[in-house]
PDB file of all heavy atoms in Angstrom:
ATOM      1  N   ASP A  35      13.028  17.578  -3.301  1.00  0.00           N
ATOM      2  CA  ASP A  35      12.254  17.161  -4.471  1.00  0.00           C
ATOM      3  C   ASP A  35      11.835  15.699  -4.356  1.00  0.00           C
ATOM      4  O   ASP A  35      10.719  15.334  -4.736  1.00  0.00           O
ATOM      5  CB  ASP A  35      13.069  17.363  -5.759  1.00  0.00           C
ATOM      6  CG  ASP A  35      13.230  18.831  -6.124  1.00  0.00           C
ATOM      7  OD1 ASP A  35      12.591  19.688  -5.468  1.00  0.00           O
ATOM      8  OD2 ASP A  35      14.000  19.114  -7.063  1.00  0.00           O
ATOM      9  N   VAL A  36      12.723  14.870  -3.834  1.00  0.00           N
ATOM     10  CA  VAL A  36      12.393  13.460  -3.632  1.00  0.00           C
ATOM     11  C   VAL A  36      11.266  13.351  -2.605  1.00  0.00           C
ATOM     12  O   VAL A  36      10.301  12.611  -2.810  1.00  0.00           O
ATOM     13  CB  VAL A  36      13.632  12.656  -3.177  1.00  0.00           C
ATOM     14  CG1 VAL A  36      13.251  11.233  -2.794  1.00  0.00           C
ATOM     15  CG2 VAL A  36      14.699  12.661  -4.252  1.00  0.00           C
ATOM     16  N   GLU A  37      11.380  14.096  -1.505  1.00  0.00           N
ATOM     17  CA  GLU A  37      10.359  14.071  -0.464  1.00  0.00           C
ATOM     18  C   GLU A  37       9.005  14.513  -1.020  1.00  0.00           C
ATOM     19  O   GLU A  37       7.977  13.868  -0.776  1.00  0.00           O
ATOM     20  CB  GLU A  37      10.773  14.976   0.698  1.00  0.00           C
ATOM     21  CG  GLU A  37       9.784  14.990   1.839  1.00  0.00           C
ATOM     22  CD  GLU A  37      10.252  15.844   3.001  1.00  0.00           C
ATOM     23  OE1 GLU A  37      11.273  16.546   2.867  1.00  0.00           O
ATOM     24  OE2 GLU A  37       9.585  15.785   4.048  1.00  0.00           O
ATOM     25  N   MET A  38       8.983  15.586  -1.793  1.00  0.00           N
ATOM     26  CA  MET A  38       7.743  16.079  -2.363  1.00  0.00           C
ATOM     27  C   MET A  38       7.136  15.049  -3.324  1.00  0.00           C
ATOM     28  O   MET A  38       5.925  14.822  -3.326  1.00  0.00           O
ATOM     29  CB  MET A  38       7.982  17.396  -3.107  1.00  0.00           C
ATOM     30  CG  MET A  38       6.716  17.993  -3.692  1.00  0.00           C
ATOM     31  SD  MET A  38       7.002  19.521  -4.568  1.00  0.00           S
ATOM     32  CE  MET A  38       8.014  18.953  -5.929  1.00  0.00           C
ATOM     33  N   SER A  39       7.975  14.384  -4.108  1.00  0.00           N
ATOM     34  CA  SER A  39       7.496  13.382  -5.065  1.00  0.00           C
ATOM     35  C   SER A  39       6.855  12.194  -4.355  1.00  0.00           C
ATOM     36  O   SER A  39       5.785  11.728  -4.753  1.00  0.00           O
ATOM     37  CB  SER A  39       8.646  12.893  -5.936  1.00  0.00           C
ATOM     38  OG  SER A  39       9.176  13.944  -6.681  1.00  0.00           O
ATOM     39  N   VAL A  40       7.506  11.699  -3.310  1.00  0.00           N
ATOM     40  CA  VAL A  40       6.970  10.555  -2.565  1.00  0.00           C
ATOM     41  C   VAL A  40       5.641  10.935  -1.910  1.00  0.00           C
ATOM     42  O   VAL A  40       4.659  10.186  -1.995  1.00  0.00           O
ATOM     43  CB  VAL A  40       7.981  10.047  -1.513  1.00  0.00           C
ATOM     44  CG1 VAL A  40       7.334   9.048  -0.566  1.00  0.00           C
ATOM     45  CG2 VAL A  40       9.181   9.424  -2.199  1.00  0.00           C
ATOM     46  N   LYS A  41       5.602  12.099  -1.272  1.00  0.00           N
ATOM     47  CA  LYS A  41       4.365  12.527  -0.620  1.00  0.00           C
ATOM     48  C   LYS A  41       3.244  12.730  -1.631  1.00  0.00           C
ATOM     49  O   LYS A  41       2.095  12.358  -1.381  1.00  0.00           O
ATOM     50  CB  LYS A  41       4.602  13.805   0.185  1.00  0.00           C
ATOM     51  CG  LYS A  41       5.415  13.556   1.437  1.00  0.00           C
ATOM     52  CD  LYS A  41       5.617  14.809   2.245  1.00  0.00           C
ATOM     53  CE  LYS A  41       6.373  14.501   3.534  1.00  0.00           C
ATOM     54  NZ  LYS A  41       6.559  15.685   4.364  1.00  0.00           N
ATOM     55  N   LEU A  42       3.560  13.277  -2.795  1.00  0.00           N
ATOM     56  CA  LEU A  42       2.559  13.482  -3.840  1.00  0.00           C
ATOM     57  C   LEU A  42       2.030  12.142  -4.344  1.00  0.00           C
ATOM     58  O   LEU A  42       0.818  11.971  -4.526  1.00  0.00           O
ATOM     59  CB  LEU A  42       3.161  14.284  -4.996  1.00  0.00           C
ATOM     60  CG  LEU A  42       2.249  14.585  -6.174  1.00  0.00           C
ATOM     61  CD1 LEU A  42       1.091  15.453  -5.726  1.00  0.00           C
ATOM     62  CD2 LEU A  42       3.027  15.280  -7.270  1.00  0.00           C
ATOM     63  N   LEU A  43       2.914  11.183  -4.557  1.00  0.00           N
ATOM     64  CA  LEU A  43       2.508   9.864  -5.018  1.00  0.00           C
ATOM     65  C   LEU A  43       1.585   9.184  -4.008  1.00  0.00           C
ATOM     66  O   LEU A  43       0.507   8.684  -4.367  1.00  0.00           O
ATOM     67  CB  LEU A  43       3.738   8.989  -5.271  1.00  0.00           C
ATOM     68  CG  LEU A  43       3.457   7.540  -5.653  1.00  0.00           C
ATOM     69  CD1 LEU A  43       2.840   7.477  -7.038  1.00  0.00           C
ATOM     70  CD2 LEU A  43       4.732   6.734  -5.596  1.00  0.00           C
ATOM     71  N   LEU A  44       1.975   9.175  -2.741  1.00  0.00           N
ATOM     72  CA  LEU A  44       1.161   8.527  -1.714  1.00  0.00           C
ATOM     73  C   LEU A  44      -0.171   9.245  -1.512  1.00  0.00           C
ATOM     74  O   LEU A  44      -1.211   8.601  -1.324  1.00  0.00           O
ATOM     75  CB  LEU A  44       1.943   8.443  -0.400  1.00  0.00           C
ATOM     76  CG  LEU A  44       3.198   7.568  -0.451  1.00  0.00           C
ATOM     77  CD1 LEU A  44       3.935   7.619   0.878  1.00  0.00           C
ATOM     78  CD2 LEU A  44       2.857   6.143  -0.824  1.00  0.00           C
ATOM     79  N   ASP A  45      -0.153  10.569  -1.583  1.00  0.00           N
ATOM     80  CA  ASP A  45      -1.389  11.340  -1.447  1.00  0.00           C
ATOM     81  C   ASP A  45      -2.336  11.048  -2.613  1.00  0.00           C
ATOM     82  O   ASP A  45      -3.545  10.905  -2.423  1.00  0.00           O
ATOM     83  CB  ASP A  45      -1.069  12.835  -1.373  1.00  0.00           C
ATOM     84  CG  ASP A  45      -2.315  13.670  -1.163  1.00  0.00           C
ATOM     85  OD1 ASP A  45      -3.046  13.387  -0.188  1.00  0.00           O
ATOM     86  OD2 ASP A  45      -2.561  14.591  -1.970  1.00  0.00           O
ATOM     87  N   THR A  46      -1.793  10.940  -3.820  1.00  0.00           N
ATOM     88  CA  THR A  46      -2.618  10.641  -4.992  1.00  0.00           C
ATOM     89  C   THR A  46      -3.259   9.271  -4.874  1.00  0.00           C
ATOM     90  O   THR A  46      -4.450   9.103  -5.156  1.00  0.00           O
ATOM     91  CB  THR A  46      -1.771  10.730  -6.282  1.00  0.00           C
ATOM     92  OG1 THR A  46      -1.215  12.033  -6.368  1.00  0.00           O
ATOM     93  CG2 THR A  46      -2.601  10.443  -7.506  1.00  0.00           C
ATOM     94  N   ILE A  47      -2.494   8.282  -4.442  1.00  0.00           N
ATOM     95  CA  ILE A  47      -3.048   6.938  -4.251  1.00  0.00           C
ATOM     96  C   ILE A  47      -4.162   6.979  -3.209  1.00  0.00           C
ATOM     97  O   ILE A  47      -5.239   6.408  -3.412  1.00  0.00           O
ATOM     98  CB  ILE A  47      -1.945   5.938  -3.851  1.00  0.00           C
ATOM     99  CG1 ILE A  47      -0.986   5.698  -5.015  1.00  0.00           C
ATOM    100  CG2 ILE A  47      -2.547   4.610  -3.381  1.00  0.00           C
ATOM    101  CD1 ILE A  47       0.243   4.886  -4.666  1.00  0.00           C
ATOM    102  N   SER A  48      -3.945   7.684  -2.114  1.00  0.00           N
ATOM    103  CA  SER A  48      -4.955   7.783  -1.054  1.00  0.00           C
ATOM    104  C   SER A  48      -6.237   8.436  -1.560  1.00  0.00           C
ATOM    105  O   SER A  48      -7.340   7.965  -1.273  1.00  0.00           O
ATOM    106  CB  SER A  48      -4.422   8.590   0.127  1.00  0.00           C
ATOM    107  OG  SER A  48      -3.327   7.936   0.703  1.00  0.00           O
ATOM    108  N   ARG A  49      -6.100   9.528  -2.312  1.00  0.00           N
ATOM    109  CA  ARG A  49      -7.281  10.221  -2.832  1.00  0.00           C
ATOM    110  C   ARG A  49      -8.063   9.349  -3.806  1.00  0.00           C
ATOM    111  O   ARG A  49      -9.296   9.323  -3.782  1.00  0.00           O
ATOM    112  CB  ARG A  49      -6.886  11.538  -3.507  1.00  0.00           C
ATOM    113  CG  ARG A  49      -6.744  12.679  -2.516  1.00  0.00           C
ATOM    114  CD  ARG A  49      -6.592  14.030  -3.201  1.00  0.00           C
ATOM    115  NE  ARG A  49      -5.204  14.173  -3.655  1.00  0.00           N
ATOM    116  CZ  ARG A  49      -4.841  14.289  -4.930  1.00  0.00           C
ATOM    117  NH1 ARG A  49      -5.727  14.340  -5.883  1.00  0.00           N
ATOM    118  NH2 ARG A  49      -3.563  14.394  -5.248  1.00  0.00           N
ATOM    119  N   GLU A  50      -7.356   8.628  -4.669  1.00  0.00           N
ATOM    120  CA  GLU A  50      -8.032   7.761  -5.637  1.00  0.00           C
ATOM    121  C   GLU A  50      -8.778   6.629  -4.928  1.00  0.00           C
ATOM    122  O   GLU A  50      -9.898   6.289  -5.302  1.00  0.00           O
ATOM    123  CB  GLU A  50      -7.037   7.195  -6.647  1.00  0.00           C
ATOM    124  CG  GLU A  50      -6.452   8.239  -7.570  1.00  0.00           C
ATOM    125  CD  GLU A  50      -7.505   8.920  -8.424  1.00  0.00           C
ATOM    126  OE1 GLU A  50      -8.308   8.218  -9.074  1.00  0.00           O
ATOM    127  OE2 GLU A  50      -7.537  10.166  -8.441  1.00  0.00           O
ATOM    128  N   LEU A  51      -8.168   6.049  -3.903  1.00  0.00           N
ATOM    129  CA  LEU A  51      -8.835   4.986  -3.148  1.00  0.00           C
ATOM    130  C   LEU A  51     -10.046   5.534  -2.393  1.00  0.00           C
ATOM    131  O   LEU A  51     -11.090   4.871  -2.318  1.00  0.00           O
ATOM    132  CB  LEU A  51      -7.863   4.316  -2.175  1.00  0.00           C
ATOM    133  CG  LEU A  51      -6.772   3.472  -2.828  1.00  0.00           C
ATOM    134  CD1 LEU A  51      -5.803   2.962  -1.783  1.00  0.00           C
ATOM    135  CD2 LEU A  51      -7.356   2.328  -3.625  1.00  0.00           C
ATOM    136  N   ALA A  52      -9.929   6.729  -1.843  1.00  0.00           N
ATOM    137  CA  ALA A  52     -11.053   7.345  -1.132  1.00  0.00           C
ATOM    138  C   ALA A  52     -12.223   7.594  -2.080  1.00  0.00           C
ATOM    139  O   ALA A  52     -13.387   7.568  -1.661  1.00  0.00           O
ATOM    140  CB  ALA A  52     -10.619   8.651  -0.472  1.00  0.00           C
ATOM    141  N   ALA A  53     -11.930   7.797  -3.357  1.00  0.00           N
ATOM    142  CA  ALA A  53     -12.974   8.022  -4.364  1.00  0.00           C
ATOM    143  C   ALA A  53     -13.407   6.700  -5.013  1.00  0.00           C
ATOM    144  O   ALA A  53     -14.085   6.699  -6.043  1.00  0.00           O
ATOM    145  CB  ALA A  53     -12.467   8.992  -5.426  1.00  0.00           C
ATOM    146  N   ASP A  54     -13.028   5.581  -4.413  1.00  0.00           N
ATOM    147  CA  ASP A  54     -13.377   4.236  -4.900  1.00  0.00           C
ATOM    148  C   ASP A  54     -12.806   3.915  -6.274  1.00  0.00           C
ATOM    149  O   ASP A  54     -13.389   3.165  -7.039  1.00  0.00           O
ATOM    150  CB  ASP A  54     -14.888   4.029  -4.927  1.00  0.00           C
ATOM    151  CG  ASP A  54     -15.373   3.231  -3.738  1.00  0.00           C
ATOM    152  OD1 ASP A  54     -14.530   2.741  -2.978  1.00  0.00           O
ATOM    153  OD2 ASP A  54     -16.599   3.090  -3.568  1.00  0.00           O
ATOM    154  N   ARG A  55     -11.664   4.488  -6.594  1.00  0.00           N
ATOM    155  CA  ARG A  55     -11.005   4.191  -7.862  1.00  0.00           C
ATOM    156  C   ARG A  55      -9.845   3.236  -7.618  1.00  0.00           C
ATOM    157  O   ARG A  55      -9.216   3.259  -6.576  1.00  0.00           O
ATOM    158  CB  ARG A  55     -10.491   5.472  -8.511  1.00  0.00           C
ATOM    159  CG  ARG A  55     -11.600   6.400  -8.932  1.00  0.00           C
ATOM    160  CD  ARG A  55     -11.045   7.539  -9.778  1.00  0.00           C
ATOM    161  NE  ARG A  55     -12.016   8.580  -9.905  1.00  0.00           N
ATOM    162  CZ  ARG A  55     -11.998   9.731  -9.229  1.00  0.00           C
ATOM    163  NH1 ARG A  55     -11.035   9.975  -8.365  1.00  0.00           N
ATOM    164  NH2 ARG A  55     -12.921  10.635  -9.422  1.00  0.00           N
ATOM    165  N   ARG A  56      -9.571   2.424  -8.610  1.00  0.00           N
ATOM    166  CA  ARG A  56      -8.481   1.457  -8.546  1.00  0.00           C
ATOM    167  C   ARG A  56      -7.200   2.136  -9.036  1.00  0.00           C
ATOM    168  O   ARG A  56      -7.229   2.907  -9.992  1.00  0.00           O
ATOM    169  CB  ARG A  56      -8.831   0.277  -9.454  1.00  0.00           C
ATOM    170  CG  ARG A  56      -7.874  -0.852  -9.444  1.00  0.00           C
ATOM    171  CD  ARG A  56      -8.486  -2.011 -10.263  1.00  0.00           C
ATOM    172  NE  ARG A  56      -7.562  -3.099 -10.373  1.00  0.00           N
ATOM    173  CZ  ARG A  56      -6.712  -3.262 -11.380  1.00  0.00           C
ATOM    174  NH1 ARG A  56      -6.701  -2.421 -12.382  1.00  0.00           N
ATOM    175  NH2 ARG A  56      -5.891  -4.283 -11.401  1.00  0.00           N
ATOM    176  N   VAL A  57      -6.073   1.825  -8.409  1.00  0.00           N
ATOM    177  CA  VAL A  57      -4.778   2.377  -8.811  1.00  0.00           C
ATOM    178  C   VAL A  57      -3.874   1.205  -9.172  1.00  0.00           C
ATOM    179  O   VAL A  57      -3.634   0.322  -8.353  1.00  0.00           O
ATOM    180  CB  VAL A  57      -4.138   3.197  -7.665  1.00  0.00           C
ATOM    181  CG1 VAL A  57      -2.764   3.686  -8.062  1.00  0.00           C
ATOM    182  CG2 VAL A  57      -5.040   4.342  -7.250  1.00  0.00           C
ATOM    183  N   GLU A  58      -3.390   1.214 -10.419  1.00  0.00           N
ATOM    184  CA  GLU A  58      -2.491   0.143 -10.860  1.00  0.00           C
ATOM    185  C   GLU A  58      -1.135   0.728 -11.190  1.00  0.00           C
ATOM    186  O   GLU A  58      -1.030   1.720 -11.915  1.00  0.00           O
ATOM    187  CB  GLU A  58      -3.046  -0.557 -12.099  1.00  0.00           C
ATOM    188  CG  GLU A  58      -2.131  -1.651 -12.607  1.00  0.00           C
ATOM    189  CD  GLU A  58      -2.659  -2.336 -13.847  1.00  0.00           C
ATOM    190  OE1 GLU A  58      -3.825  -2.156 -14.200  1.00  0.00           O
ATOM    191  OE2 GLU A  58      -1.858  -3.060 -14.473  1.00  0.00           O
ATOM    192  N   ILE A  59      -0.098   0.128 -10.638  1.00  0.00           N
ATOM    193  CA  ILE A  59       1.276   0.510 -10.943  1.00  0.00           C
ATOM    194  C   ILE A  59       1.881  -0.694 -11.653  1.00  0.00           C
ATOM    195  O   ILE A  59       2.141  -1.730 -11.026  1.00  0.00           O
ATOM    196  CB  ILE A  59       2.065   0.879  -9.665  1.00  0.00           C
ATOM    197  CG1 ILE A  59       1.353   2.024  -8.936  1.00  0.00           C
ATOM    198  CG2 ILE A  59       3.494   1.234 -10.015  1.00  0.00           C
ATOM    199  CD1 ILE A  59       1.928   2.343  -7.581  1.00  0.00           C
ATOM    200  N   ARG A  60       2.066  -0.565 -12.956  1.00  0.00           N
ATOM    201  CA  ARG A  60       2.528  -1.693 -13.772  1.00  0.00           C
ATOM    202  C   ARG A  60       3.858  -2.225 -13.242  1.00  0.00           C
ATOM    203  O   ARG A  60       4.749  -1.464 -12.901  1.00  0.00           O
ATOM    204  CB  ARG A  60       2.704  -1.264 -15.229  1.00  0.00           C
ATOM    205  CG  ARG A  60       1.436  -0.791 -15.883  1.00  0.00           C
ATOM    206  CD  ARG A  60       0.667  -1.976 -16.452  1.00  0.00           C
ATOM    207  NE  ARG A  60      -0.674  -1.562 -16.839  1.00  0.00           N
ATOM    208  CZ  ARG A  60      -1.117  -1.562 -18.065  1.00  0.00           C
ATOM    209  NH1 ARG A  60      -0.329  -1.937 -19.051  1.00  0.00           N
ATOM    210  NH2 ARG A  60      -2.356  -1.215 -18.322  1.00  0.00           N
ATOM    211  N   GLY A  61       3.948  -3.540 -13.145  1.00  0.00           N
ATOM    212  CA  GLY A  61       5.161  -4.177 -12.660  1.00  0.00           C
ATOM    213  C   GLY A  61       5.242  -4.227 -11.147  1.00  0.00           C
ATOM    214  O   GLY A  61       6.162  -4.797 -10.587  1.00  0.00           O
ATOM    215  N   PHE A  62       4.276  -3.607 -10.468  1.00  0.00           N
ATOM    216  CA  PHE A  62       4.285  -3.596  -9.002  1.00  0.00           C
ATOM    217  C   PHE A  62       3.013  -4.230  -8.456  1.00  0.00           C
ATOM    218  O   PHE A  62       3.075  -5.196  -7.709  1.00  0.00           O
ATOM    219  CB  PHE A  62       4.447  -2.171  -8.484  1.00  0.00           C
ATOM    220  CG  PHE A  62       4.578  -2.086  -6.992  1.00  0.00           C
ATOM    221  CD1 PHE A  62       5.732  -2.502  -6.348  1.00  0.00           C
ATOM    222  CD2 PHE A  62       3.534  -1.594  -6.232  1.00  0.00           C
ATOM    223  CE1 PHE A  62       5.839  -2.440  -4.970  1.00  0.00           C
ATOM    224  CE2 PHE A  62       3.641  -1.518  -4.853  1.00  0.00           C
ATOM    225  CZ  PHE A  62       4.792  -1.947  -4.226  1.00  0.00           C
ATOM    226  N   GLY A  63       1.854  -3.678  -8.809  1.00  0.00           N
ATOM    227  CA  GLY A  63       0.600  -4.235  -8.330  1.00  0.00           C
ATOM    228  C   GLY A  63      -0.517  -3.219  -8.417  1.00  0.00           C
ATOM    229  O   GLY A  63      -0.356  -2.129  -8.971  1.00  0.00           O
ATOM    230  N   SER A  64      -1.660  -3.575  -7.838  1.00  0.00           N
ATOM    231  CA  SER A  64      -2.801  -2.671  -7.886  1.00  0.00           C
ATOM    232  C   SER A  64      -3.411  -2.523  -6.498  1.00  0.00           C
ATOM    233  O   SER A  64      -3.439  -3.458  -5.701  1.00  0.00           O
ATOM    234  CB  SER A  64      -3.847  -3.175  -8.879  1.00  0.00           C
ATOM    235  OG  SER A  64      -4.333  -4.435  -8.488  1.00  0.00           O
ATOM    236  N   PHE A  65      -3.882  -1.316  -6.243  1.00  0.00           N
ATOM    237  CA  PHE A  65      -4.565  -0.979  -5.010  1.00  0.00           C
ATOM    238  C   PHE A  65      -6.036  -0.800  -5.338  1.00  0.00           C
ATOM    239  O   PHE A  65      -6.382  -0.205  -6.365  1.00  0.00           O
ATOM    240  CB  PHE A  65      -4.032   0.335  -4.430  1.00  0.00           C
ATOM    241  CG  PHE A  65      -2.570   0.309  -4.077  1.00  0.00           C
ATOM    242  CD1 PHE A  65      -1.607   0.615  -5.025  1.00  0.00           C
ATOM    243  CD2 PHE A  65      -2.166  -0.029  -2.793  1.00  0.00           C
ATOM    244  CE1 PHE A  65      -0.262   0.603  -4.708  1.00  0.00           C
ATOM    245  CE2 PHE A  65      -0.814  -0.052  -2.462  1.00  0.00           C
ATOM    246  CZ  PHE A  65       0.136   0.266  -3.425  1.00  0.00           C
ATOM    247  N   SER A  66      -6.909  -1.304  -4.479  1.00  0.00           N
ATOM    248  CA  SER A  66      -8.342  -1.120  -4.671  1.00  0.00           C
ATOM    249  C   SER A  66      -9.005  -1.090  -3.298  1.00  0.00           C
ATOM    250  O   SER A  66      -8.340  -1.253  -2.270  1.00  0.00           O
ATOM    251  CB  SER A  66      -8.925  -2.243  -5.528  1.00  0.00           C
ATOM    252  OG  SER A  66      -8.744  -3.495  -4.903  1.00  0.00           O
ATOM    253  N   VAL A  67     -10.313  -0.879  -3.308  1.00  0.00           N
ATOM    254  CA  VAL A  67     -11.077  -0.847  -2.065  1.00  0.00           C
ATOM    255  C   VAL A  67     -12.095  -1.980  -2.109  1.00  0.00           C
ATOM    256  O   VAL A  67     -12.842  -2.105  -3.084  1.00  0.00           O
ATOM    257  CB  VAL A  67     -11.783   0.511  -1.881  1.00  0.00           C
ATOM    258  CG1 VAL A  67     -12.665   0.486  -0.639  1.00  0.00           C
ATOM    259  CG2 VAL A  67     -10.783   1.640  -1.789  1.00  0.00           C
ATOM    260  N   HIS A  68     -12.097  -2.815  -1.105  1.00  0.00           N
ATOM    261  CA  HIS A  68     -13.102  -3.867  -0.978  1.00  0.00           C
ATOM    262  C   HIS A  68     -14.174  -3.392  -0.007  1.00  0.00           C
ATOM    263  O   HIS A  68     -13.870  -2.734   0.995  1.00  0.00           O
ATOM    264  CB  HIS A  68     -12.478  -5.156  -0.457  1.00  0.00           C
ATOM    265  CG  HIS A  68     -11.638  -5.859  -1.481  1.00  0.00           C
ATOM    266  ND1 HIS A  68     -11.152  -7.124  -1.287  1.00  0.00           N
ATOM    267  CD2 HIS A  68     -11.209  -5.495  -2.712  1.00  0.00           C
ATOM    268  CE1 HIS A  68     -10.457  -7.504  -2.343  1.00  0.00           C
ATOM    269  NE2 HIS A  68     -10.476  -6.517  -3.213  1.00  0.00           N
ATOM    270  N   HIS A  69     -15.409  -3.731  -0.312  1.00  0.00           N
ATOM    271  CA  HIS A  69     -16.529  -3.341   0.535  1.00  0.00           C
ATOM    272  C   HIS A  69     -16.964  -4.527   1.387  1.00  0.00           C
ATOM    273  O   HIS A  69     -17.216  -5.612   0.863  1.00  0.00           O
ATOM    274  CB  HIS A  69     -17.697  -2.850  -0.320  1.00  0.00           C
ATOM    275  CG  HIS A  69     -17.341  -1.639  -1.121  1.00  0.00           C
ATOM    276  ND1 HIS A  69     -17.498  -0.372  -0.636  1.00  0.00           N
ATOM    277  CD2 HIS A  69     -16.793  -1.506  -2.358  1.00  0.00           C
ATOM    278  CE1 HIS A  69     -17.089   0.492  -1.535  1.00  0.00           C
ATOM    279  NE2 HIS A  69     -16.640  -0.173  -2.591  1.00  0.00           N
ATOM    280  N   ARG A  70     -17.005  -4.320   2.683  1.00  0.00           N
ATOM    281  CA  ARG A  70     -17.451  -5.366   3.618  1.00  0.00           C
ATOM    282  C   ARG A  70     -18.868  -5.031   4.059  1.00  0.00           C
ATOM    283  O   ARG A  70     -19.128  -3.921   4.535  1.00  0.00           O
ATOM    284  CB  ARG A  70     -16.542  -5.424   4.844  1.00  0.00           C
ATOM    285  CG  ARG A  70     -15.077  -5.617   4.532  1.00  0.00           C
ATOM    286  CD  ARG A  70     -14.769  -7.085   4.307  1.00  0.00           C
ATOM    287  NE  ARG A  70     -13.330  -7.265   4.176  1.00  0.00           N
ATOM    288  CZ  ARG A  70     -12.753  -7.746   3.100  1.00  0.00           C
ATOM    289  NH1 ARG A  70     -13.472  -8.113   2.073  1.00  0.00           N
ATOM    290  NH2 ARG A  70     -11.447  -7.887   3.047  1.00  0.00           N
TER     291      ARG A  70
END
Side-chain angles (χ1 to χ4, degrees):
D35 288 352
V36 173
E37 181 177 8
M38 182 180 65
S39 298
V40 169
K41 288 181 177 182
L42 180 63
L43 175 69
L44 296 177
D45 183 54
T46 302
I47 291 172
S48 297
R49 276 190 281 117
E50 292 298 309
L51 291 175
D54 259 353
R55 294 190 194 103
R56 184 173 176 267
V57 176
E58 179 181 347
I59 302 172
R60 298 274 168 115
F62 185 72
S64 61
F65 299 87
S66 61
V67 175
H68 287 190
H69 298 271
R70 305 277 187 241

